[in-house]
Amino acid sequence: MDPLARYDSLVDDSAAFHAACERPLPSVVRVNDIKATPDRVRRAFDEAGIDYEGVGWHDGLFRLAEDVKPGNTWPFVHGWVYGQEEVSAVPALAVDPQPGERVLDCCAAPGSKTTQLAALMDDRGLLVGNDNNLGRLSALRSNAERCGVSNLVVTRADARNFSLKPFSGEPFDRTLVDVPCSCEGTVRKNPDAVDDWSLDHIEGIAGVQKAILGRSLEVTREGGTVVYSTCTFAPEENEAVLQYALEEYDCRLVEYDLDLDHVPGITEWDGDTYDESMTRAKRIYPHHNDTGGFFCAKLEVGA
Amino acid sequence: MTSENDSSRENDGQVFNRLPATAAERDDEGRATREEVVEWWVDRFGLDPETFENYTFWEKGAGKVWAFASDLESPADVEGLGMTFLRTRQEHWKPTTDAVQRFGREATKNVVVLDADDARAFLRGADTDPEWDGDWGYLIAAHDIAGGVEPIGVGLYLYDELRSQMPKGRQREL
């Protein structure tokens, strides 16, 4: 049985949901504003005869024609663009970092969202990109360097025990918590993403997610912003993790704007009920916008 | 804290040490100063010194200088700090590909603009033979794209030949 069938009761149109999950995903690039503008990237693609189209909700994202390998184009060589799934551009926008602020990306590698945060900060202020895996950190560093990011500190730590010591003990203004997850929403890119699906795995990884979100709330200042995101549908990894944070920490869910079709977070699942404010979180299903699947919630610390 | 400060005076290759502002504040004789690295970029490529006004500069490993748009306590025990910027502690200082791509667009001298074929060859890592009457040594190799000149990387110009310094991992066959 298809493990994704467990979400049929959540989606508005389960046939469209399953059909979208079967289709391959278009290749998308994000314009890196540190080095280029959408206009200049468009012009470079035109000069090179590369077919692309814009997306309605974001002027710096381009869907490329099927035969285009973005890594083999001048705009990529110059660090003007970054290959990034369309929905994965959502959480950095929800973080909404400002130039000059102190921002943490606690599960940063390989860096699509980190480099997007840097660009939103106009490459000014302090951005910390943390990960615990040395190989993935090396990818993060090389991606950040290609994008010309110069405000990034790279650290290696388990995000459950992230230390403020190198940062004079000062908390962050904003933290992105894009946790490791069961990746059900990436099934269009990796058809085998749900092959080894098990509830045990989901419950195990949810424990890690709770600890990472908890530590992130501790290292973010009062009144600061924490954005929690996954690329999975499982409520155990989404609303249930947020419910834990609401119960154990001084924080609340807040609204944010998103010009992409989505539905609210849920308040009931499998016999459990969640806080009413869970509807401020956003669920994006693959059939909504012809993208991957995603979950994203914005929290305010204390206050 | 005192012992940490003492140990930072010698070059510790495992941590980042902030470059001293000037030679008068230098403990490690081999370490470049902030003044020297900014001056080198300004002299070599005609950049506005204000470009680097809000940057701090750091050394990790022998001679590898990093440019960071913010500041931390020194020494900093982290995996990366800003971007690799300049190779010092050698006779001819060498800019990095990352720094040339990030700051080279504002350069007003020692920029060699390659034609389409040479630009592709340069990106492959091949030597080229462009028209050049200027200085020998490290140049910014650039090309015309989408209505402007854009730096590709570092070239070493010697004996009428431009040797591509594109790192292996950044070379591409377009």
Side-chain angles (χ1 to χ4, degrees):
Chain A
M1 179 176 157
D2 180 357
L4 298 182
R6 76 195 289 256
Y7 308 121
D8 284 359
S9 64
L10 297 181
V11 295
D12 45 334
D13 181 344
S14 61
F17 168 64
H18 289 288
C21 289
E22 296 289 320
R23 285 197 300 272
L25 204 57
S27 179
V28 175
V29 294
R30 174 179 51 81
V31 175
N32 170 30
D33 307 292
I34 294 173
K35 285 185 156 183
T37 60
D39 272 352
R40 196 148 187 227
V41 169
R42 244 183 248 119
R43 196 163 159 184
F45 280 156
D46 289 343
E47 282 177 7
I50 293 166
D51 285 332
Y52 62 91
E53 57 178 34
V55 304
W57 66 285
H58 189 303
D59 70 350
L61 294 174
F62 297 116
R63 292 182 175 191
L64 302 180
E66 251 174 61
D67 56 334
V68 179
K69 291 200 171 66
N72 272 340
T73 63
W74 275 117
F76 179 87
V77 167
H78 288 305
W80 291 3
V81 294
Y82 192 114
Q84 177 174 13
E85 221 280 278
E86 198 172 323
V87 275
S88 109
V90 169
L93 296 171
V95 173
D96 191 24
Q98 303 299 308
E101 285 187 333
R102 298 164 61 85
V103 178
L104 168 65
D105 185 353
C106 69
C107 307
S112 61
K113 302 173 189 81
T114 319
T115 52
Q116 188 185 2
L117 289 167
L120 291 167
M121 296 169 79
D122 199 17
D123 199 24
R124 287 186 284 143
L126 175 73
L127 175 61
V128 178
N130 176 74
D131 212 277
N132 64 351
N133 178 301
L134 210 53
R136 283 166 59 86
L137 275 183
S138 143
L140 169 64
R141 270 173 39 183
S142 83
N143 284 324
E145 284 171 351
R146 187 179 58 82
C147 290
V149 175
S150 65
N151 71 342
L152 177 68
V153 180
V154 176
T155 59
R156 178 156 75 111
D158 184 322
R160 292 173 288 189
N161 310 307
F162 183 83
S163 168
L164 286 174
K165 197 166 162 242
F167 310 103
S168 316
E170 290 282 316
F172 293 92
D173 297 306
R174 296 171 201 259
T175 300
L176 172 57
V177 189
D178 182 54
V179 286
C181 70
S182 60
C183 298
E184 294 164 341
T186 66
V187 66
R188 299 182 63 182
K189 195 167 61 182
N190 312 304
D192 52 1
V194 293
D195 282 1
D196 299 321
W197 192 96
S198 82
L199 193 56
D200 274 355
H201 173 64
I202 284 185
E203 284 169 350
I205 206 164
V208 176
Q209 291 161 343
K210 286 172 186 169
I212 294 176
L213 178 56
R215 183 59 190 153
S216 298
L217 289 161
E218 287 169 357
V219 299
T220 307
R221 72 168 167 82
E222 202 169 297
T225 295
V226 171
V227 168
Y228 179 80
S229 64
T230 73
C231 51
T232 209
F233 308 116
E236 293 87 348
E237 299 178 64
N238 294 321
E239 287 88 349
V241 174
L242 292 170
Q243 181 67 28
Y244 160 83
L246 294 180
E247 286 168 6
E248 300 296 323
Y249 295 86
D250 186 9
C251 63
R252 64 186 190 102
L253 277 149
V254 293
E255 305 274 2
Y256 65 98
D257 292 331
L258 178 62
D259 291 334
L260 199 54
D261 284 349
H262 60 272
V263 293
I266 58 173
T267 53
E268 266 185 67
W269 173 250
D270 203 20
D272 288 332
T273 57
Y274 307 125
D275 193 89
E276 280 302 314
S277 66
M278 219 55 82
T279 53
R280 294 173 185 165
K282 300 189 195 304
R283 291 185 153 259
I284 304 170
Y285 291 109
H287 59 293
H288 284 157
N289 311 277
D290 198 18
T291 62
F294 214 75
F295 179 89
C296 185
K298 184 168 181 168
L299 296 149
E300 186 180 274
V301 180
Chain B
M1 214 47 210
T2 311
S3 64
E4 279 179 33
N5 283 338
D6 285 348
S7 68
S8 75
R9 286 185 182 170
E10 287 155 37
N11 185 43
D12 179 344
Q14 299 308 305
V15 298
F16 288 86
N17 288 282
R18 194 191 299 110
L19 298 192
T22 62
E25 292 164 47
R26 177 158 57 192
D27 295 319
D28 175 342
E29 278 310 306
R31 180 163 295 153
T33 65
R34 177 198 167 83
E35 192 175 33
E36 288 166 347
V37 303
V38 170
E39 220 167 70
W40 188 89
W41 272 82
V42 170
D43 285 354
R44 183 77 195 159
F45 300 121
L47 291 184
D48 183 340
E50 282 186 12
T51 311
F52 303 112
E53 203 174 45
N54 295 315
Y55 279 84
T56 54
F57 296 91
W58 302 72
E59 185 179 28
K60 183 188 183 188
K64 208 172 178 184
V65 169
W66 301 54
F68 178 43
S70 187
D71 201 0
L72 286 186
E73 273 178 52
S74 178
D77 186 7
V78 294
E79 301 290 323
L81 199 50
M83 61 162 51
T84 58
F85 186 64
L86 185 66
R87 171 72 72 169
T88 63
R89 296 193 195 249
Q90 56 192 24
E91 190 184 347
H92 297 288
W93 288 4
K94 182 182 180 183
T96 65
T97 303
D98 300 322
V100 155
Q101 284 200 355
R102 176 69 169 80
F103 302 108
R105 206 184 286 167
E106 311 300 325
T108 54
K109 59 181 179 179
N110 288 321
V111 179
V112 55
V113 181
L114 305 176
D115 64 27
D117 286 345
D118 279 355
R120 276 194 298 272
F122 181 89
L123 183 63
R124 268 203 309 273
D127 298 340
T128 52
D129 183 16
E131 293 257 343
W132 180 251
D133 293 327
D135 285 1
W136 285 19
Y138 293 117
L139 306 179
I140 295 174
H143 70 146
D144 269 309
I145 176 171
V149 171
E150 186 74 8
I152 305 167
V154 179
L156 177 59
Y157 195 85
L158 287 175
Y159 305 107
D160 300 329
E161 186 180 74
L162 185 71
R163 300 180 190 171
S164 172
Q165 309 290 299
M166 282 311 277
K168 281 257 162 22
R170 302 281 280 271
Q171 292 176 6
R172 287 275 183 297
E173 180 83 55
L174 293 192

